[in-house]
Amino acid sequence: MIKEIITGSHTVCGIIGNPIKHTLSPMIHNLLAKAYAVPSIYVPFPVENGHLEDAIKGAYALGIKGLNVTMPYKQQLEDLVVEMHESAKQVGAINTLVAKEKGYIGYNTDCLGLQMALQEENIEWEGKNVGIIGSGGAAYATFAAIAKKAKSIHIFNRTPMHAQALVKQMQAYFSTPTNIYSLEEVPAIPLDIVFQTTGLGMGNNKEKMPICSTSLLNDAAVAVDLIYEPMQTVFLQYAKSKGVQTMNGLGMLFYQAVKAFEYMHDIHCETKVLAPIKQEIEDYVSYLWNKKVSRL
Ligand code: NAP
């Protein structure tokens, strides 16, 4: 019996980036499509530097219904979309394109994805003093996710200019009191939640964590690392050893994909259907990590 057949009515979605081989998005989206019986396939599209505009125009001409966007293109799409959704304006980056009548609309689902992951772990940020280590794309999404309800935000970064740019962008949308520190500084007040958003803890830096981590985690109740490979970074291991609640970045990755899937196919995904899919992704990532299969 033929089980999974691609017919002429299937739509195509995918992800563009460079490099793209490590992406988990095809696995997540294809599992979602199967679970919700959406006739659509999702594939990785490696796009060489200098070919972004051709790729977007070509994708639209080919009727590609939705695209996710990863490094290095998230901040390069503003002029290639017909409309930028508020979610993308806030964080200054697009990670999801959805085809409409005259072109793609650009969304950013990282912020919603992080909020959903925090809620799932019962991590409350309302009225909390929050630390964010890093000022790259992941820090923008983190700031936007928590700023509305947080009491204060404290940014720690190696390059002061990058932290200042982040705060300037966010001040256009949020009035949360915010301070900037170097990685060596200690905040004036104890922090309740600390988000680690740098790449320290993965790849060649897998044995490292930002130098401020130990002092920031002194009083914190929750430590979040946006890295998901490994699932337990040195930062999270240290936090755990201090009795701090921890969360890695896999939930954020999963739920940003779920939101993108919802935008692309105009459906709502229920939590009970999502749980086994999320578990499958977690099992896959930890299997690869334990087998020492490097995907990065
Ligand atoms: P990015 O834009 O390149 O920013 C990198 C940040 O890390 C910058 O603040 C940079 O500081 C800091 N940094 C890099 N190397 C450092 C070092 N040796 N010492 C101190 N600080 C250092 O990267 P990104 O897009 O924000 O991604 C950062 C991490 O978040 C990655 O590990 C990525 O996998 C993860 N992420 C996860 C998700 C998810 O869904 N879970 C989503 C997005 C990103 P400077 O400003 O000084 O350069």
Side-chain angles (χ1 to χ4, degrees):
M1 190 174 89
I2 300 168
K3 273 191 179 163
E4 287 169 40
I5 196 162
I6 310 283
T7 70
S9 59
H10 270 68
T11 59
V12 178
C13 294
I15 178 163
I16 58 170
N18 184 24
I20 197 76
K21 269 190 178 166
H22 63 281
T23 180
L24 289 170
S25 295
M27 186 174 172
I28 304 175
H29 278 259
N30 286 318
L31 285 170
L32 289 170
K34 195 174 171 192
Y36 287 96
V38 173
S40 186
I41 56 163
Y42 186 105
V43 285
F45 294 112
V47 174
E48 290 296 327
N49 294 345
H51 290 267
L52 182 63
E53 188 171 350
D54 288 347
I56 300 298
K57 286 184 177 161
Y60 188 75
L62 285 168
I64 291 177
K65 192 177 180 187
L67 285 169
N68 282 122
V69 184
T70 186
M71 282 195 354
Y73 300 126
K74 281 184 177 186
Q75 282 101 352
Q76 299 177 29
L77 287 159
E78 198 173 335
D79 297 335
L80 300 176
V81 294
V82 288
E83 188 187 325
M84 219 162 146
H85 187 257
E86 199 60 19
S87 58
K89 285 184 194 162
Q90 259 183 24
V91 298
I94 291 171
N95 79 335
T96 303
L97 298 170
V98 178
K100 295 287 168 191
E101 226 170 78
K102 291 193 171 126
Y104 287 110
I105 295 191
Y107 297 84
N108 191 300
T109 64
D110 283 334
C111 180
L112 267 175
L114 178 57
Q115 287 176 343
M116 289 169 76
L118 291 168
Q119 279 157 1
E120 185 179 60
E121 297 293 326
N122 295 317
I123 296 172
E124 181 52 76
W125 61 97
E126 181 160 12
K128 307 288 186 194
N129 297 309
V130 179
I132 299 177
I133 311 173
S135 295
Y140 278 68
T142 302
F143 195 117
I146 52 112
K148 213 169 173 181
K149 295 202 288 171
K151 185 175 180 187
S152 65
I153 300 180
H154 305 262
I155 310 215
F156 300 80
N157 200 48
R158 180 180 59 179
T159 311
M161 209 172 66
H162 295 163
Q164 284 152 10
L166 161 63
V167 173
K168 192 172 175 216
Q169 160 88 6
M170 290 299 150
Q171 276 174 344
Y173 296 93
F174 307 101
S175 54
T176 326
T178 304
N179 295 314
I180 295 174
Y181 308 82
S182 72
L183 288 179
E184 288 76 26
E185 281 178 278
V186 176
I189 52 161
L191 303 178
D192 302 304
I193 311 177
V194 181
F195 289 86
Q196 196 304 106
T197 76
T198 77
L200 290 183
M202 65 181 286
N204 292 335
N205 289 318
K206 70 171 186 281
E207 308 295 343
K208 297 183 184 162
M209 65 178 179
I211 193 162
C212 55
S213 308
T214 47
S215 61
L216 299 195
L217 291 171
N218 260 343
D219 302 284
V222 180
V224 178
D225 199 324
L226 266 59
I227 293 172
Y228 48 87
E229 275 186 280
M231 285 164 82
Q232 286 288 315
T233 56
V234 174
F235 174 80
L236 291 188
Q237 285 171 30
Y238 178 79
K240 217 170 188 175
S241 75
K242 293 277 166 195
V244 175
Q245 180 184 355
T246 61
M247 182 181 108
N248 67 30
L250 200 65
M252 175 180 176
L253 175 85
F254 180 71
Y255 286 113
Q256 65 75 27
V258 170
K259 286 316 290 182
F261 183 83
E262 288 185 339
Y263 282 138
M264 287 175 192
H265 302 292
D266 199 19
I267 62 168
H268 173 69
C269 298
E270 292 143 31
T271 321
K272 69 172 189 286
V273 181
L274 295 175
I277 300 175
K278 182 162 177 266
Q279 189 59 54
E280 199 168 336
I281 306 295
E282 275 173 14
D283 291 347
Y284 177 69
V285 173
S286 52
Y287 165 80
L288 292 182
W289 186 257
N290 292 333
K291 283 259 183 199
K292 299 196 176 7
V293 179
S294 173
R295 305 178 320 101
L296 304 172

